[in-house]
Amino acid sequence: MIENLLEPFTLGSLTVALLSLLLLRQLCFGFISRGKRKDLPGPRALPLLGNLHQLDLKRLDSHLTQLSQKYGPVFRVFMAHKKVVVLAGYKTVKQALVNQAEDFGEREVFPIFHDFNKGNGILFTNGNQWREMRRFTLGTLKDFGMGKRIMEEKIVEECQYLIEEFEQHKGEAFDGAQVISYAASNIISTLMYGKRFDYKDPNLQAMISRDQEIIYHTGSPSIQMYNIFPWLGPFLKTWWVIMRELQTRAKHGKRILTELKESLNPGKCRGLVDVFLTHKKDLEDADVNNLYYHDDNLLHTTWNLFAAGTDTTADTLKWGLLFLAKYPHIQDRVQEELSRVVGNRQVRVEDRKNLPYVEAVIHETQRLANVVPMSLPHRTSRDTAFQGYFIGKGTMVIPLLTSVLYDESEWATPHTFNPAHFLDDQGRFVRRDAFMPFSAGRRMCLGEGLARMVLFLFFTSLLQRFHFKPAPGVSEDDLDLTPVVGFTLHPLPHKLRATDRF
């Protein structure tokens, strides 16, 4: 009977029938699965525009934080056709970036980020390119003393140059923003090139000014629109400004690399660039297929480190001095602890454990300053289940650091400068898991250890030597803490007096 039923079928037709049944089963399973998935909450989107008409692109992090209060810690918005998942609050961001690090570990590469790197470097890459450059960079920076005593000596030396610059103003009000950036940049320059630049060097001044311009414009509403509609680029003045600065930066960077190549001594590497060039030559001599060690990758890797290491560290120092000038009772307590524990000698990293209030003030500065409010955008590496929601592979994800650093369930007074956030009842320093200015997980800042050392030594060296006050005629209450909003947040232009303590 069965044989008779099968007789009309050929092997080919039977195979087609089986495949059809399997396909039908898969489709049914897919519909059932989708029916069980919860839709991500979020504001109602319009065709073509998505939610663009509703979003405040001038301060997107604050607006998304407000939306999270309505839609919860995981929600979605549409940037025109592009779906973006927003993660808000400490617990949610930690779950994604730490507990599900592989799922949320890729970088979303905006069109402007591609303009920056063209697929090279560390910050705006994925896959083997990112892994190899991160491995090489971390290993090399550690070899050159990142986090060790040898690096501490170089930072202390740079502190003295910065102090001398402040002393030249003899207690008169001045804007120290640029010279602080020069000092922070010199720490990276020492690691990259094996040398520092004089603060009056026009090349250093031009490089800092150029990078600040690029970083500021990258966060502008017009460039956010370009990231959504790349065809807009040539019609946007801001895009042309960035392209011009990128071209100038590339010429300057190539000139420095050429000089380093001409003076290269493989037996005595001065910094990361020398190590990269030496490794590149070794691969060429061994006739090994070299995918990563080429000049474009070197150029963009060094710029990534300069931009990330200079801007965020310098901005945090600027915020710190502004906070202390605004809150003199906190500055007095910092200086009392420094005098009692350290005295007049040079502060060392090992003193950190005996300076709990100083540590609390530095951490609170990083928290409240919120220099990188939305981190760098992430992307899911695969289909992901998260808090009951389905997030497809390749979805852009914003870990909203503003919502972490100002999380009302984690911080007693999230919107005020309060060092007690990092102190226990006995005045001992307390680490807080919700302290995430460097982000978290696979993509957290690879220079965190260096940044912490620079902030501690610069901050304490300046506070040992100077007392910071508002300019004459300006009260503490008049000091404005409103940030200048670009891709990062830095203080408005202002002048302070650095008066001698001794």
Side-chain angles (χ1 to χ4, degrees):
M1 183 71 172
I2 294 175
E3 289 82 356
N4 292 336
L5 288 172
L6 289 177
E7 190 174 1
F9 291 89
T10 64
L11 181 61
S13 60
L14 185 59
T15 302
V16 170
L18 288 172
L19 288 174
S20 299
L21 287 171
L22 288 172
L23 179 60
L24 181 61
R25 178 182 177 277
Q26 188 64 30
L27 287 171
C28 291
F29 179 78
F31 283 125
I32 293 170
S33 298
R34 278 194 290 273
K36 291 180 179 179
R37 293 174 187 164
K38 290 194 297 181
D39 289 334
L40 281 161
R44 189 170 185 176
L46 294 177
L48 301 180
L49 281 179
N51 299 114
L52 283 177
H53 63 298
Q54 299 168 305
L55 298 176
D56 181 4
L57 298 183
K58 292 181 179 179
R59 191 65 199 270
L60 186 58
D61 68 298
S62 294
H63 192 200
L64 292 177
T65 300
Q66 292 172 13
L67 290 177
S68 72
Q69 295 170 4
K70 179 177 181 180
Y71 296 107
V74 186
F75 65 99
R76 60 98 191 109
V77 293
F78 283 92
M79 305 286 195
H81 61 282
K82 191 173 186 64
K83 182 180 181 179
V84 179
V85 173
V86 182
L87 308 177
Y90 161 65
K91 292 179 180 178
T92 296
V93 171
K94 180 190 175 186
Q95 181 184 345
L97 300 191
V98 178
N99 300 347
Q100 293 183 229
E102 285 292 327
D103 296 340
F104 292 89
E106 287 197 349
R107 174 72 67 229
E108 175 72 18
V109 184
F110 287 151
I112 195 65
F113 293 162
H114 181 74
D115 292 338
F116 287 168
N117 277 28
K118 306 295 185 186
N120 299 299
I122 307 171
L123 288 182
F124 310 117
T125 54
N126 290 299
N128 291 334
Q129 161 71 28
W130 170 74
R131 278 188 287 272
E132 179 60 21
M133 285 299 97
R134 184 179 174 89
R135 182 201 63 78
F136 167 81
T137 301
L138 272 175
T140 304
L141 293 181
K142 287 177 181 177
D143 289 343
F144 280 98
M146 186 174 75
K148 300 177 183 177
R149 186 61 179 261
I150 185 174
M151 195 66 228
E152 181 179 358
E153 297 296 339
K154 293 175 181 177
I155 297 170
V156 167
E157 179 185 354
E158 195 62 42
C159 287
Q160 299 312 309
Y161 287 112
L162 185 58
I163 287 172
E164 290 173 9
E165 189 70 24
F166 279 27
E167 285 176 334
Q168 292 179 17
H169 297 278
K170 301 184 184 302
E172 297 294 324
F174 70 103
D175 186 343
Q178 288 303 86
V179 74
I180 289 174
S181 292
Y182 300 156
S185 177
N186 267 338
I187 303 303
I188 307 299
S189 179
T190 299
L191 286 166
M192 295 297 102
Y193 307 139
K195 68 172 185 177
R196 67 177 298 278
F197 294 90
D198 187 272
Y199 296 158
K200 293 181 173 57
D201 187 323
N203 289 317
L204 173 66
Q205 294 178 352
M207 180 179 70
I208 295 300
S209 177
R210 186 167 52 245
D211 287 352
Q212 288 173 342
E213 188 88 352
I214 292 171
I215 292 169
Y216 171 71
H217 285 305
T218 297
S220 67
S222 59
I223 293 301
Q224 292 182 59
M225 292 299 293
Y226 164 64
N227 288 331
I228 300 165
F229 305 110
W231 55 268
L232 280 176
F235 301 97
L236 300 173
K237 179 181 178 181
T238 306
W239 184 81
W240 282 109
V241 169
I242 293 177
M243 294 305 106
R244 184 181 66 244
E245 298 293 357
L246 289 175
Q247 289 177 355
T248 305
R249 187 193 72 192
K251 290 178 183 177
H252 178 251
K254 288 175 181 177
R255 185 165 63 249
I256 292 177
L257 295 185
T258 298
E259 293 171 358
L260 291 171
K261 282 181 183 179
E262 292 172 350
S263 57
L264 179 65
N265 178 359
K268 189 178 180 181
C269 290
R270 296 159 292 190
L272 180 141
V273 171
D274 282 5
V275 177
F276 190 104
L277 293 172
T278 300
H279 189 55
K280 174 175 176 282
K281 187 175 186 306
D282 290 343
L283 291 174
E284 291 170 351
D285 292 345
D287 197 25
V288 174
N289 185 25
N290 180 8
L291 297 176
Y292 309 111
Y293 294 88
H294 51 80
D295 287 354
D296 284 343
N297 223 355
L298 175 57
L299 185 68
H300 290 97
T301 297
T302 54
W303 181 79
N304 286 172
L305 295 170
F306 265 106
T310 297
D311 189 70
T312 54
T313 302
D315 282 348
T316 303
L317 284 167
K318 296 168 196 175
W319 279 114
L321 298 183
L322 181 59
F323 288 148
L324 293 188
K326 189 171 182 66
Y327 306 113
H329 63 288
I330 295 178
Q331 182 174 186
D332 290 342
R333 188 170 169 184
V334 165
Q335 291 175 329
E336 184 279 326
E337 187 176 70
L338 284 170
S339 296
R340 174 167 42 85
V341 175
V342 180
N344 294 331
R345 68 169 172 82
Q346 173 62 51
V347 182
R348 293 291 177 179
V349 171
E350 63 186 18
D351 293 316
R352 183 183 283 164
K353 62 182 180 293
N354 298 317
L355 296 167
Y357 192 75
V358 171
E359 272 284 83
V361 168
I362 294 173
H363 280 67
E364 180 67 355
T365 296
Q366 291 180 270
R367 185 197 70 80
L368 190 62
N370 185 29
V371 171
V372 189
M374 295 195 296
S375 185
L376 289 173
H378 287 236
R379 185 176 70 198
T380 49
S381 62
R382 56 196 176 201
D383 289 351
T384 301
F386 186 75
Q387 293 192 5
Y389 299 109
F390 171 82
I391 303 175
K393 177 181 178 180
T395 301
M396 177 179 162
V397 177
I398 294 178
L400 199 54
L401 295 189
T402 294
S403 70
V404 177
L405 298 176
Y406 296 168
D407 191 330
E408 293 183 358
S409 66
E410 296 291 331
W411 310 100
T413 57
H415 300 287
T416 61
F417 189 72
N418 182 7
H421 286 141
F422 295 93
L423 297 168
D424 65 14
D425 293 339
Q426 284 73 48
R428 294 173 298 200
F429 177 74
V430 176
R431 297 189 182 279
R432 300 289 299 274
D433 290 340
F435 178 70
M436 286 188 183
F438 300 102
S439 192
R442 297 174 73 229
R443 291 285 182 159
M444 73 181 299
C445 175
L446 59 79
E448 177 185 357
L450 177 63
R452 284 167 48 79
M453 183 182 284
V454 171
L455 288 172
F456 177 78
L457 292 173
F458 274 44
F459 188 82
T460 53
S461 296
L462 290 173
L463 269 294
Q464 265 189 314
R465 185 71 180 81
F466 303 108
H467 192 84
F468 292 91
K469 304 176 183 179
V474 178
S475 71
E476 287 88 1
D477 292 339
D478 292 332
L479 292 176
D480 193 346
L481 300 182
T482 304
V484 176
V485 180
F487 189 75
T488 57
L489 306 180
H490 60 270
L492 288 164
H494 63 276
K495 292 183 179 181
L496 297 177
R497 288 178 288 165
T499 58
D500 290 339
R501 290 188 61 210
F502 306 108

